[in-house]
Amino acid sequence: MSGVGPTRRARRVSIRGVLFDVDGTLLLSDRALGGYELLPGAIEVLSALKARRVPFALLTNGSAYPPAEQAAKLRAAGLPVDDSQMITPSSIAADHLQRRGIRRVLVLGTAGVGQALRDAGIETVHTGEAGATEVGCVFVGWHPECGMKDIETACHAIWNGAELCVASDVPFFATRQGRSIGYSHAITAAIRRLTHVPMTLTGKPSIRALRFVAKRLGVPMRALAVVGDDPVVEGLMARRGGATALAVTTGTTQREEWQRQPRSRRPDAILTGLREVLDWVGNAEAGPPRIAARPRSGRTRARARRAARATASRTAAKRRVVRRPG
């Protein structure tokens, strides 16, 4: 596997499911979230995983489209993706709000942002509608037309006791024209500057998002491979959940930048191409291939030598006791 760099595990990696980022990993869109350009290997890898019966999901921080609509767009572009395999922050938000017993939400976003909530039986309202500040939660998503009235309404709802939920707090994402800003990041910054409240993140890199995907796939978090282009998004999320982080260089982050990442965002491997994902995942029935382990650090080797000397010393002492004449 030419693209596999040093790994952080000195054990057999058991990957039983795969989570893919979308923008910058499987495709590049334009700034208006259209005009998909599939990246090399995307169709081949997803098709191969289906043939091997390895469960996988696509998790985007984009919330503009409901999951089923987003999946249909990706199928039209050529990706073999079922509706159930497409997950957005709105899917995770709906699950979170149901667990919290919240039934009415102010949505700062386009119509598609709140569809997953409505599908789950949660009432959504928008700025200017009756009772917009009398809600249990404010949910911030894709909202390129957001104005000061939206931010003011959200602040009043929060001052009235609403929770703040955010689809994505990532400042940038990859497009064909380069980096584009994440609207929900900017909107959330304004709201929090005024209200000083914590936020509940439903998209990447929250552990909530990884846990949701793991449950959907029926695979423990530690048995997932997370494939993505951003160390502060996919890399951080994988490390938080103990998953295997596989980095690509087709989006926001180049190889040199991945190599400089701190331990909290360090990938298990930097891939030279998306097809190398298949080297990390075996057939569902046969189990995964064996992955080369990372050489132990100098500090780890020193600890091992000290432990070995201590064990040898104890063994020698026992022998001396046994040989002592009675």
Side-chain angles (χ1 to χ4, degrees), residues 246-298:
L246 302 180
V248 298
T249 58
T250 47
T252 61
T253 312
Q254 299 304 305
R255 176 174 291 272
E256 295 75 17
E257 296 174 89
W258 276 112
Q259 291 172 335
R260 292 195 298 267
Q261 293 305 309
R263 183 177 297 275
S264 62
R265 304 193 296 264
R266 187 175 303 163
D268 290 278
I270 305 170
L271 308 182
T272 59
L274 194 61
R275 293 177 181 87
E276 289 179 0
V277 169
L278 300 177
D279 294 332
W280 286 75
V281 185
N283 293 315
E285 297 86 352
R290 191 173 186 84
I291 305 302
R294 179 183 183 180
R296 292 187 295 182
S297 67

mmCIF file of all heavy atoms in Angstrom, residues 246-298:
data_model
loop_
_atom_site.group_PDB
_atom_site.id
_atom_site.type_symbol
_atom_site.label_atom_id
_atom_site.label_comp_id
_atom_site.label_asym_id
_atom_site.label_seq_id
_atom_site.Cartn_x
_atom_site.Cartn_y
_atom_site.Cartn_z
ATOM 1 N N LEU A 246 -8.340 7.943 7.738
ATOM 2 C CA LEU A 246 -7.664 7.854 6.448
ATOM 3 C C LEU A 246 -7.797 9.200 5.743
ATOM 4 O O LEU A 246 -8.908 9.672 5.484
ATOM 5 C CB LEU A 246 -8.285 6.745 5.594
ATOM 6 C CG LEU A 246 -8.261 5.335 6.209
ATOM 7 C CD1 LEU A 246 -8.899 4.331 5.258
ATOM 8 C CD2 LEU A 246 -6.840 4.918 6.564
ATOM 9 N N ALA A 247 -6.668 9.821 5.457
ATOM 10 C CA ALA A 247 -6.648 11.180 4.923
ATOM 11 C C ALA A 247 -6.475 11.179 3.406
ATOM 12 O O ALA A 247 -5.685 10.402 2.864
ATOM 13 C CB ALA A 247 -5.508 11.966 5.567
ATOM 14 N N VAL A 248 -7.217 12.070 2.739
ATOM 15 C CA VAL A 248 -7.036 12.289 1.307
ATOM 16 C C VAL A 248 -6.532 13.712 1.091
ATOM 17 O O VAL A 248 -6.683 14.584 1.956
ATOM 18 C CB VAL A 248 -8.345 12.053 0.521
ATOM 19 C CG1 VAL A 248 -8.815 10.613 0.666
ATOM 20 C CG2 VAL A 248 -9.444 13.019 0.979
ATOM 21 N N THR A 249 -5.934 13.937 -0.067
ATOM 22 C CA THR A 249 -5.329 15.248 -0.355
ATOM 23 C C THR A 249 -6.027 15.937 -1.522
ATOM 24 O O THR A 249 -5.450 16.803 -2.174
ATOM 25 C CB THR A 249 -3.836 15.079 -0.681
ATOM 26 O OG1 THR A 249 -3.688 14.189 -1.791
ATOM 27 C CG2 THR A 249 -3.087 14.513 0.514
ATOM 28 N N THR A 250 -7.280 15.551 -1.779
ATOM 29 C CA THR A 250 -8.024 16.098 -2.917
ATOM 30 C C THR A 250 -8.926 17.257 -2.529
ATOM 31 O O THR A 250 -9.649 17.782 -3.385
ATOM 32 C CB THR A 250 -8.881 14.985 -3.553
ATOM 33 O OG1 THR A 250 -9.576 14.277 -2.511
ATOM 34 C CG2 THR A 250 -8.012 14.014 -4.321
ATOM 35 N N GLY A 251 -8.908 17.652 -1.257
ATOM 36 C CA GLY A 251 -9.790 18.722 -0.798
ATOM 37 C C GLY A 251 -9.036 19.894 -0.207
ATOM 38 O O GLY A 251 -8.218 20.530 -0.863
ATOM 39 N N THR A 252 -9.273 20.136 1.087
ATOM 40 C CA THR A 252 -8.732 21.332 1.725
ATOM 41 C C THR A 252 -7.297 21.189 2.199
ATOM 42 O O THR A 252 -6.642 22.180 2.495
ATOM 43 C CB THR A 252 -9.593 21.714 2.945
ATOM 44 O OG1 THR A 252 -9.560 20.643 3.905
ATOM 45 C CG2 THR A 252 -11.027 21.988 2.549
ATOM 46 N N THR A 253 -6.769 19.947 2.291
ATOM 47 C CA THR A 253 -5.502 19.719 2.983
ATOM 48 C C THR A 253 -4.524 18.925 2.122
ATOM 49 O O THR A 253 -4.868 17.845 1.629
ATOM 50 C CB THR A 253 -5.747 18.957 4.303
ATOM 51 O OG1 THR A 253 -6.812 19.585 5.020
ATOM 52 C CG2 THR A 253 -4.503 18.960 5.164
ATOM 53 N N GLN A 254 -3.330 19.432 1.978
ATOM 54 C CA GLN A 254 -2.287 18.751 1.226
ATOM 55 C C GLN A 254 -1.482 17.824 2.144
ATOM 56 O O GLN A 254 -1.571 17.899 3.364
ATOM 57 C CB GLN A 254 -1.362 19.771 0.560
ATOM 58 C CG GLN A 254 -2.070 20.675 -0.431
ATOM 59 C CD GLN A 254 -2.801 19.896 -1.524
ATOM 60 O OE1 GLN A 254 -2.204 19.077 -2.223
ATOM 61 N NE2 GLN A 254 -4.106 20.132 -1.650
ATOM 62 N N ARG A 255 -0.690 16.950 1.540
ATOM 63 C CA ARG A 255 0.059 15.947 2.290
ATOM 64 C C ARG A 255 0.941 16.585 3.360
ATOM 65 O O ARG A 255 0.989 16.112 4.503
ATOM 66 C CB ARG A 255 0.917 15.114 1.333
ATOM 67 C CG ARG A 255 1.830 14.099 2.026
ATOM 68 C CD ARG A 255 2.526 13.222 1.004
ATOM 69 N NE ARG A 255 1.577 12.331 0.354
ATOM 70 C CZ ARG A 255 1.233 11.133 0.816
ATOM 71 N NH1 ARG A 255 1.766 10.672 1.941
ATOM 72 N NH2 ARG A 255 0.377 10.375 0.160
ATOM 73 N N GLU A 256 1.633 17.662 3.014
ATOM 74 C CA GLU A 256 2.530 18.300 3.971
ATOM 75 C C GLU A 256 1.765 18.822 5.182
ATOM 76 O O GLU A 256 2.255 18.764 6.317
ATOM 77 C CB GLU A 256 3.292 19.443 3.304
ATOM 78 C CG GLU A 256 4.251 19.007 2.203
ATOM 79 C CD GLU A 256 3.530 18.618 0.920
ATOM 80 O OE1 GLU A 256 2.335 18.984 0.762
ATOM 81 O OE2 GLU A 256 4.155 17.934 0.074
ATOM 82 N N GLU A 257 0.562 19.331 4.956
ATOM 83 C CA GLU A 257 -0.258 19.823 6.067
ATOM 84 C C GLU A 257 -0.738 18.675 6.954
ATOM 85 O O GLU A 257 -0.779 18.801 8.177
ATOM 86 C CB GLU A 257 -1.447 20.608 5.521
ATOM 87 C CG GLU A 257 -1.078 21.861 4.760
ATOM 88 C CD GLU A 257 -2.296 22.503 4.119
ATOM 89 O OE1 GLU A 257 -2.942 23.339 4.805
ATOM 90 O OE2 GLU A 257 -2.614 22.167 2.958
ATOM 91 N N TRP A 258 -1.111 17.568 6.334
ATOM 92 C CA TRP A 258 -1.513 16.393 7.115
ATOM 93 C C TRP A 258 -0.355 15.913 7.980
ATOM 94 O O TRP A 258 -0.549 15.540 9.138
ATOM 95 C CB TRP A 258 -1.960 15.259 6.196
ATOM 96 C CG TRP A 258 -3.368 15.305 5.721
ATOM 97 C CD1 TRP A 258 -3.806 15.520 4.447
ATOM 98 C CD2 TRP A 258 -4.553 15.114 6.514
ATOM 99 N NE1 TRP A 258 -5.180 15.480 4.396
ATOM 100 C CE2 TRP A 258 -5.660 15.223 5.646
ATOM 101 C CE3 TRP A 258 -4.778 14.850 7.861
ATOM 102 C CZ2 TRP A 258 -6.978 15.092 6.089
ATOM 103 C CZ3 TRP A 258 -6.083 14.712 8.308
ATOM 104 C CH2 TRP A 258 -7.164 14.832 7.432
ATOM 105 N N GLN A 259 0.834 15.925 7.438
ATOM 106 C CA GLN A 259 1.991 15.431 8.174
ATOM 107 C C GLN A 259 2.344 16.307 9.363
ATOM 108 O O GLN A 259 2.976 15.837 10.313
ATOM 109 C CB GLN A 259 3.189 15.324 7.223
ATOM 110 C CG GLN A 259 3.045 14.234 6.182
ATOM 111 C CD GLN A 259 4.139 14.267 5.129
ATOM 112 O OE1 GLN A 259 4.731 15.320 4.874
ATOM 113 N NE2 GLN A 259 4.416 13.116 4.519
ATOM 114 N N ARG A 260 1.935 17.555 9.357
ATOM 115 C CA ARG A 260 2.242 18.472 10.457
ATOM 116 C C ARG A 260 1.188 18.458 11.556
ATOM 117 O O ARG A 260 1.303 19.203 12.533
ATOM 118 C CB ARG A 260 2.386 19.906 9.926
ATOM 119 C CG ARG A 260 3.601 20.129 9.036
ATOM 120 C CD ARG A 260 3.871 21.606 8.873
ATOM 121 N NE ARG A 260 2.772 22.308 8.222
ATOM 122 C CZ ARG A 260 2.698 22.516 6.910
ATOM 123 N NH1 ARG A 260 3.660 22.087 6.101
ATOM 124 N NH2 ARG A 260 1.668 23.159 6.385
ATOM 125 N N GLN A 261 0.164 17.652 11.425
ATOM 126 C CA GLN A 261 -0.937 17.682 12.377
ATOM 127 C C GLN A 261 -0.517 17.172 13.753
ATOM 128 O O GLN A 261 0.283 16.242 13.860
ATOM 129 C CB GLN A 261 -2.119 16.851 11.865
ATOM 130 C CG GLN A 261 -2.775 17.424 10.633
ATOM 131 C CD GLN A 261 -3.231 18.848 10.813
ATOM 132 O OE1 GLN A 261 -3.924 19.176 11.790
ATOM 133 N NE2 GLN A 261 -2.832 19.714 9.890
ATOM 134 N N PRO A 262 -1.074 17.770 14.826
ATOM 135 C CA PRO A 262 -0.796 17.255 16.172
ATOM 136 C C PRO A 262 -1.470 15.904 16.385
ATOM 137 O O PRO A 262 -2.296 15.468 15.582
ATOM 138 C CB PRO A 262 -1.404 18.325 17.083
ATOM 139 C CG PRO A 262 -2.488 18.940 16.265
ATOM 140 C CD PRO A 262 -1.970 18.932 14.851
ATOM 141 N N ARG A 263 -1.125 15.254 17.488
ATOM 142 C CA ARG A 263 -1.633 13.918 17.770
ATOM 143 C C ARG A 263 -3.162 13.858 17.754
ATOM 144 O O ARG A 263 -3.740 12.859 17.328
ATOM 145 C CB ARG A 263 -1.115 13.444 19.131
ATOM 146 C CG ARG A 263 -1.525 12.030 19.506
ATOM 147 C CD ARG A 263 -0.917 11.621 20.828
ATOM 148 N NE ARG A 263 0.538 11.596 20.734
ATOM 149 C CZ ARG A 263 1.225 10.549 20.291
ATOM 150 N NH1 ARG A 263 0.593 9.451 19.906
ATOM 151 N NH2 ARG A 263 2.539 10.587 20.244
ATOM 152 N N SER A 264 -3.829 14.915 18.194
ATOM 153 C CA SER A 264 -5.288 14.902 18.283
ATOM 154 C C SER A 264 -5.965 14.854 16.920
ATOM 155 O O SER A 264 -7.158 14.557 16.828
ATOM 156 C CB SER A 264 -5.784 16.141 19.038
ATOM 157 O OG SER A 264 -5.427 17.329 18.334
ATOM 158 N N ARG A 265 -5.211 15.140 15.842
ATOM 159 C CA ARG A 265 -5.804 15.130 14.499
ATOM 160 C C ARG A 265 -4.966 14.305 13.508
ATOM 161 O O ARG A 265 -5.202 14.367 12.310
ATOM 162 C CB ARG A 265 -5.929 16.562 13.971
ATOM 163 C CG ARG A 265 -6.715 17.491 14.851
ATOM 164 C CD ARG A 265 -7.069 18.774 14.141
ATOM 165 N NE ARG A 265 -5.911 19.567 13.772
ATOM 166 C CZ ARG A 265 -5.431 20.584 14.494
ATOM 167 N NH1 ARG A 265 -6.010 20.897 15.643
ATOM 168 N NH2 ARG A 265 -4.397 21.286 14.080
ATOM 169 N N ARG A 266 -4.035 13.544 14.025
ATOM 170 C CA ARG A 266 -3.101 12.826 13.155
ATOM 171 C C ARG A 266 -3.792 11.632 12.498
ATOM 172 O O ARG A 266 -4.413 10.819 13.167
ATOM 173 C CB ARG A 266 -1.910 12.355 13.970
ATOM 174 C CG ARG A 266 -0.780 11.748 13.137
ATOM 175 C CD ARG A 266 0.385 11.423 14.035
ATOM 176 N NE ARG A 266 0.834 12.621 14.753
ATOM 177 C CZ ARG A 266 1.594 12.594 15.834
ATOM 178 N NH1 ARG A 266 1.971 11.432 16.341
ATOM 179 N NH2 ARG A 266 1.964 13.718 16.421
ATOM 180 N N PRO A 267 -3.678 11.489 11.166
ATOM 181 C CA PRO A 267 -4.322 10.348 10.500
ATOM 182 C C PRO A 267 -3.512 9.063 10.660
ATOM 183 O O PRO A 267 -2.311 9.095 10.923
ATOM 184 C CB PRO A 267 -4.343 10.790 9.032
ATOM 185 C CG PRO A 267 -3.137 11.662 8.896
ATOM 186 C CD PRO A 267 -3.010 12.394 10.213
ATOM 187 N N ASP A 268 -4.179 7.946 10.504
ATOM 188 C CA ASP A 268 -3.496 6.661 10.475
ATOM 189 C C ASP A 268 -2.742 6.481 9.171
ATOM 190 O O ASP A 268 -1.735 5.783 9.129
ATOM 191 C CB ASP A 268 -4.508 5.523 10.640
ATOM 192 C CG ASP A 268 -5.066 5.480 12.041
ATOM 193 O OD1 ASP A 268 -4.402 4.912 12.912
ATOM 194 O OD2 ASP A 268 -6.154 6.034 12.260
ATOM 195 N N ALA A 269 -3.242 7.106 8.114
ATOM 196 C CA ALA A 269 -2.573 7.013 6.825
ATOM 197 C C ALA A 269 -2.988 8.181 5.950
ATOM 198 O O ALA A 269 -4.110 8.677 6.041
ATOM 199 C CB ALA A 269 -2.905 5.694 6.128
ATOM 200 N N ILE A 270 -2.065 8.616 5.118
ATOM 201 C CA ILE A 270 -2.347 9.612 4.088
ATOM 202 C C ILE A 270 -2.373 8.868 2.765
ATOM 203 O O ILE A 270 -1.350 8.306 2.332
ATOM 204 C CB ILE A 270 -1.281 10.721 4.067
ATOM 205 C CG1 ILE A 270 -1.137 11.351 5.454
ATOM 206 C CG2 ILE A 270 -1.636 11.780 3.024
ATOM 207 C CD1 ILE A 270 0.053 12.294 5.570
ATOM 208 N N LEU A 271 -3.513 8.810 2.128
ATOM 209 C CA LEU A 271 -3.678 8.019 0.916
ATOM 210 C C LEU A 271 -3.197 8.798 -0.306
ATOM 211 O O LEU A 271 -3.406 10.007 -0.401
ATOM 212 C CB LEU A 271 -5.153 7.637 0.731
ATOM 213 C CG LEU A 271 -5.850 6.977 1.930
ATOM 214 C CD1 LEU A 271 -7.286 6.619 1.551
ATOM 215 C CD2 LEU A 271 -5.082 5.741 2.383
ATOM 216 N N THR A 272 -2.581 8.088 -1.241
ATOM 217 C CA THR A 272 -2.217 8.722 -2.499
ATOM 218 C C THR A 272 -3.385 8.724 -3.469
ATOM 219 O O THR A 272 -3.377 9.451 -4.458
ATOM 220 C CB THR A 272 -1.016 8.001 -3.155
ATOM 221 O OG1 THR A 272 -1.371 6.635 -3.378
ATOM 222 C CG2 THR A 272 0.197 8.068 -2.254
ATOM 223 N N GLY A 273 -4.383 7.909 -3.196
ATOM 224 C CA GLY A 273 -5.581 7.870 -4.021
ATOM 225 C C GLY A 273 -6.707 7.200 -3.257
ATOM 226 O O GLY A 273 -6.472 6.402 -2.353
ATOM 227 N N LEU A 274 -7.930 7.526 -3.607
ATOM 228 C CA LEU A 274 -9.085 7.000 -2.885
ATOM 229 C C LEU A 274 -9.173 5.483 -2.971
ATOM 230 O O LEU A 274 -9.678 4.825 -2.058
ATOM 231 C CB LEU A 274 -10.362 7.638 -3.441
ATOM 232 C CG LEU A 274 -11.637 7.485 -2.615
ATOM 233 C CD1 LEU A 274 -11.474 8.119 -1.241
ATOM 234 C CD2 LEU A 274 -12.821 8.106 -3.348
ATOM 235 N N ARG A 275 -8.663 4.898 -4.054
ATOM 236 C CA ARG A 275 -8.747 3.443 -4.230
ATOM 237 C C ARG A 275 -8.025 2.685 -3.115
ATOM 238 O O ARG A 275 -8.311 1.515 -2.867
ATOM 239 C CB ARG A 275 -8.179 3.055 -5.593
ATOM 240 C CG ARG A 275 -9.008 3.561 -6.767
ATOM 241 C CD ARG A 275 -8.364 3.210 -8.100
ATOM 242 N NE ARG A 275 -9.149 3.713 -9.223
ATOM 243 C CZ ARG A 275 -9.016 4.933 -9.739
ATOM 244 N NH1 ARG A 275 -8.113 5.765 -9.214
ATOM 245 N NH2 ARG A 275 -9.755 5.327 -10.748
ATOM 246 N N GLU A 276 -7.086 3.339 -2.440
ATOM 247 C CA GLU A 276 -6.347 2.664 -1.376
ATOM 248 C C GLU A 276 -7.206 2.385 -0.145
ATOM 249 O O GLU A 276 -6.795 1.615 0.727
ATOM 250 C CB GLU A 276 -5.122 3.491 -0.995
ATOM 251 C CG GLU A 276 -4.061 3.477 -2.075
ATOM 252 C CD GLU A 276 -2.849 4.324 -1.725
ATOM 253 O OE1 GLU A 276 -2.843 4.926 -0.631
ATOM 254 O OE2 GLU A 276 -1.927 4.387 -2.550
ATOM 255 N N VAL A 277 -8.385 2.978 -0.083
ATOM 256 C CA VAL A 277 -9.314 2.633 0.996
ATOM 257 C C VAL A 277 -9.572 1.133 0.979
ATOM 258 O O VAL A 277 -9.685 0.485 2.031
ATOM 259 C CB VAL A 277 -10.644 3.402 0.839
ATOM 260 C CG1 VAL A 277 -11.706 2.861 1.791
ATOM 261 C CG2 VAL A 277 -10.425 4.892 1.087
ATOM 262 N N LEU A 278 -9.644 0.544 -0.208
ATOM 263 C CA LEU A 278 -9.953 -0.882 -0.333
ATOM 264 C C LEU A 278 -8.859 -1.748 0.253
ATOM 265 O O LEU A 278 -9.109 -2.901 0.623
ATOM 266 C CB LEU A 278 -10.198 -1.236 -1.799
ATOM 267 C CG LEU A 278 -11.364 -0.491 -2.471
ATOM 268 C CD1 LEU A 278 -11.452 -0.868 -3.942
ATOM 269 C CD2 LEU A 278 -12.674 -0.777 -1.750
ATOM 270 N N ASP A 279 -7.628 -1.236 0.338
ATOM 271 C CA ASP A 279 -6.546 -2.001 0.951
ATOM 272 C C ASP A 279 -6.720 -2.123 2.457
ATOM 273 O O ASP A 279 -6.106 -2.991 3.089
ATOM 274 C CB ASP A 279 -5.191 -1.333 0.661
ATOM 275 C CG ASP A 279 -4.838 -1.367 -0.812
ATOM 276 O OD1 ASP A 279 -5.279 -2.291 -1.511
ATOM 277 O OD2 ASP A 279 -4.127 -0.439 -1.264
ATOM 278 N N TRP A 280 -7.513 -1.234 3.026
ATOM 279 C CA TRP A 280 -7.716 -1.237 4.480
ATOM 280 C C TRP A 280 -8.946 -2.042 4.896
ATOM 281 O O TRP A 280 -9.150 -2.286 6.076
ATOM 282 C CB TRP A 280 -7.877 0.197 4.979
ATOM 283 C CG TRP A 280 -6.596 0.955 5.000
ATOM 284 C CD1 TRP A 280 -5.924 1.481 3.925
ATOM 285 C CD2 TRP A 280 -5.816 1.272 6.148
ATOM 286 N NE1 TRP A 280 -4.788 2.098 4.338
ATOM 287 C CE2 TRP A 280 -4.690 1.987 5.696
ATOM 288 C CE3 TRP A 280 -5.955 1.030 7.505
ATOM 289 C CZ2 TRP A 280 -3.708 2.447 6.570
ATOM 290 C CZ3 TRP A 280 -4.971 1.499 8.365
ATOM 291 C CH2 TRP A 280 -3.858 2.197 7.891
ATOM 292 N N VAL A 281 -9.755 -2.419 3.936
ATOM 293 C CA VAL A 281 -11.029 -3.080 4.254
ATOM 294 C C VAL A 281 -11.109 -4.395 3.501
ATOM 295 O O VAL A 281 -10.980 -4.427 2.274
ATOM 296 C CB VAL A 281 -12.230 -2.194 3.861
ATOM 297 C CG1 VAL A 281 -13.535 -2.852 4.313
ATOM 298 C CG2 VAL A 281 -12.097 -0.805 4.459
ATOM 299 N N GLY A 282 -11.348 -5.470 4.230
ATOM 300 C CA GLY A 282 -11.519 -6.768 3.586
ATOM 301 C C GLY A 282 -12.984 -7.052 3.330
ATOM 302 O O GLY A 282 -13.855 -6.197 3.500
ATOM 303 N N ASN A 283 -13.263 -8.260 2.904
ATOM 304 C CA ASN A 283 -14.652 -8.692 2.789
ATOM 305 C C ASN A 283 -15.292 -8.735 4.169
ATOM 306 O O ASN A 283 -14.624 -9.017 5.159
ATOM 307 C CB ASN A 283 -14.737 -10.086 2.157
ATOM 308 C CG ASN A 283 -14.297 -10.068 0.705
ATOM 309 O OD1 ASN A 283 -14.688 -9.190 -0.051
ATOM 310 N ND2 ASN A 283 -13.470 -11.037 0.337
ATOM 311 N N ALA A 284 -16.565 -8.465 4.231
ATOM 312 C CA ALA A 284 -17.254 -8.495 5.518
ATOM 313 C C ALA A 284 -17.149 -9.867 6.153
ATOM 314 O O ALA A 284 -17.025 -10.015 7.364
ATOM 315 C CB ALA A 284 -18.723 -8.100 5.330
ATOM 316 N N GLU A 285 -17.177 -10.928 5.331
ATOM 317 C CA GLU A 285 -17.109 -12.278 5.861
ATOM 318 C C GLU A 285 -15.679 -12.683 6.210
ATOM 319 O O GLU A 285 -15.427 -13.367 7.196
ATOM 320 C CB GLU A 285 -17.678 -13.280 4.853
ATOM 321 C CG GLU A 285 -19.157 -13.082 4.548
ATOM 322 C CD GLU A 285 -19.394 -12.079 3.445
ATOM 323 O OE1 GLU A 285 -18.421 -11.420 3.019
ATOM 324 O OE2 GLU A 285 -20.550 -11.938 3.012
ATOM 325 N N ALA A 286 -14.716 -12.257 5.384
ATOM 326 C CA ALA A 286 -13.344 -12.721 5.544
ATOM 327 C C ALA A 286 -12.567 -11.937 6.590
ATOM 328 O O ALA A 286 -11.568 -12.417 7.113
ATOM 329 C CB ALA A 286 -12.613 -12.620 4.204
ATOM 330 N N GLY A 287 -13.010 -10.713 6.888
ATOM 331 C CA GLY A 287 -12.275 -9.888 7.836
ATOM 332 C C GLY A 287 -11.245 -9.039 7.121
ATOM 333 O O GLY A 287 -10.965 -9.225 5.933
ATOM 334 N N PRO A 288 -10.645 -8.094 7.828
ATOM 335 C CA PRO A 288 -9.749 -7.129 7.202
ATOM 336 C C PRO A 288 -8.353 -7.678 6.987
ATOM 337 O O PRO A 288 -7.944 -8.652 7.608
ATOM 338 C CB PRO A 288 -9.716 -5.993 8.242
ATOM 339 C CG PRO A 288 -9.894 -6.715 9.545
ATOM 340 C CD PRO A 288 -10.839 -7.841 9.253
ATOM 341 N N PRO A 289 -7.596 -7.026 6.091
ATOM 342 C CA PRO A 289 -6.199 -7.416 5.917
ATOM 343 C C PRO A 289 -5.371 -6.939 7.092
ATOM 344 O O PRO A 289 -5.795 -6.095 7.858
ATOM 345 C CB PRO A 289 -5.797 -6.662 4.633
ATOM 346 C CG PRO A 289 -6.662 -5.440 4.649
ATOM 347 C CD PRO A 289 -7.978 -5.900 5.243
ATOM 348 N N ARG A 290 -4.189 -7.484 7.197
ATOM 349 C CA ARG A 290 -3.302 -7.058 8.274
ATOM 350 C C ARG A 290 -2.586 -5.788 7.845
ATOM 351 O O ARG A 290 -2.054 -5.699 6.747
ATOM 352 C CB ARG A 290 -2.283 -8.155 8.590
ATOM 353 C CG ARG A 290 -1.517 -7.883 9.876
ATOM 354 C CD ARG A 290 -0.648 -9.068 10.253
ATOM 355 N NE ARG A 290 -0.025 -8.877 11.537
ATOM 356 C CZ ARG A 290 -0.593 -9.137 12.697
ATOM 357 N NH1 ARG A 290 -1.808 -9.612 12.727
ATOM 358 N NH2 ARG A 290 0.040 -8.934 13.832
ATOM 359 N N ILE A 291 -2.577 -4.787 8.724
ATOM 360 C CA ILE A 291 -1.985 -3.497 8.408
ATOM 361 C C ILE A 291 -0.639 -3.376 9.102
ATOM 362 O O ILE A 291 -0.506 -3.746 10.262
ATOM 363 C CB ILE A 291 -2.911 -2.342 8.876
ATOM 364 C CG1 ILE A 291 -4.306 -2.523 8.265
ATOM 365 C CG2 ILE A 291 -2.326 -0.998 8.508
ATOM 366 C CD1 ILE A 291 -4.309 -2.555 6.765
ATOM 367 N N ALA A 292 0.329 -2.840 8.408
ATOM 368 C CA ALA A 292 1.657 -2.665 8.999
ATOM 369 C C ALA A 292 1.578 -1.743 10.200
ATOM 370 O O ALA A 292 0.938 -0.705 10.154
ATOM 371 C CB ALA A 292 2.612 -2.080 7.958
ATOM 372 N N ALA A 293 2.229 -2.143 11.287
ATOM 373 C CA ALA A 293 2.186 -1.353 12.517
ATOM 374 C C ALA A 293 3.250 -0.267 12.493
ATOM 375 O O ALA A 293 4.283 -0.390 11.856
ATOM 376 C CB ALA A 293 2.412 -2.258 13.726
ATOM 377 N N ARG A 294 2.969 0.811 13.195
ATOM 378 C CA ARG A 294 3.927 1.896 13.308
ATOM 379 C C ARG A 294 5.047 1.500 14.268
ATOM 380 O O ARG A 294 4.780 0.963 15.347
ATOM 381 C CB ARG A 294 3.210 3.142 13.846
ATOM 382 C CG ARG A 294 4.134 4.325 14.024
ATOM 383 C CD ARG A 294 3.370 5.474 14.630
ATOM 384 N NE ARG A 294 4.225 6.644 14.751
ATOM 385 C CZ ARG A 294 3.821 7.790 15.253
ATOM 386 N NH1 ARG A 294 2.603 7.923 15.683
ATOM 387 N NH2 ARG A 294 4.648 8.811 15.330
ATOM 388 N N PRO A 295 6.310 1.760 13.880
ATOM 389 C CA PRO A 295 7.404 1.482 14.813
ATOM 390 C C PRO A 295 7.206 2.252 16.105
ATOM 391 O O PRO A 295 6.751 3.384 16.093
ATOM 392 C CB PRO A 295 8.639 1.992 14.045
ATOM 393 C CG PRO A 295 8.236 2.010 12.611
ATOM 394 C CD PRO A 295 6.769 2.297 12.610
ATOM 395 N N ARG A 296 7.548 1.618 17.214
ATOM 396 C CA ARG A 296 7.357 2.276 18.499
ATOM 397 C C ARG A 296 8.317 3.437 18.654
ATOM 398 O O ARG A 296 9.447 3.416 18.164
ATOM 399 C CB ARG A 296 7.543 1.272 19.631
ATOM 400 C CG ARG A 296 6.447 0.229 19.677
ATOM 401 C CD ARG A 296 6.574 -0.645 20.903
ATOM 402 N NE ARG A 296 7.797 -1.430 20.858
ATOM 403 C CZ ARG A 296 8.118 -2.307 21.805
ATOM 404 N NH1 ARG A 296 7.329 -2.476 22.850
ATOM 405 N NH2 ARG A 296 9.234 -3.000 21.721
ATOM 406 N N SER A 297 7.885 4.464 19.371
ATOM 407 C CA SER A 297 8.717 5.629 19.611
ATOM 408 C C SER A 297 9.867 5.262 20.551
ATOM 409 O O SER A 297 9.853 4.227 21.223
ATOM 410 C CB SER A 297 7.890 6.751 20.231
ATOM 411 O OG SER A 297 7.477 6.368 21.528
ATOM 412 N N GLY A 298 10.892 6.159 20.625
ATOM 413 C CA GLY A 298 12.016 5.927 21.515
ATOM 414 C C GLY A 298 11.590 5.825 22.964
ATOM 415 O O GLY A 298 12.092 4.996 23.725
#
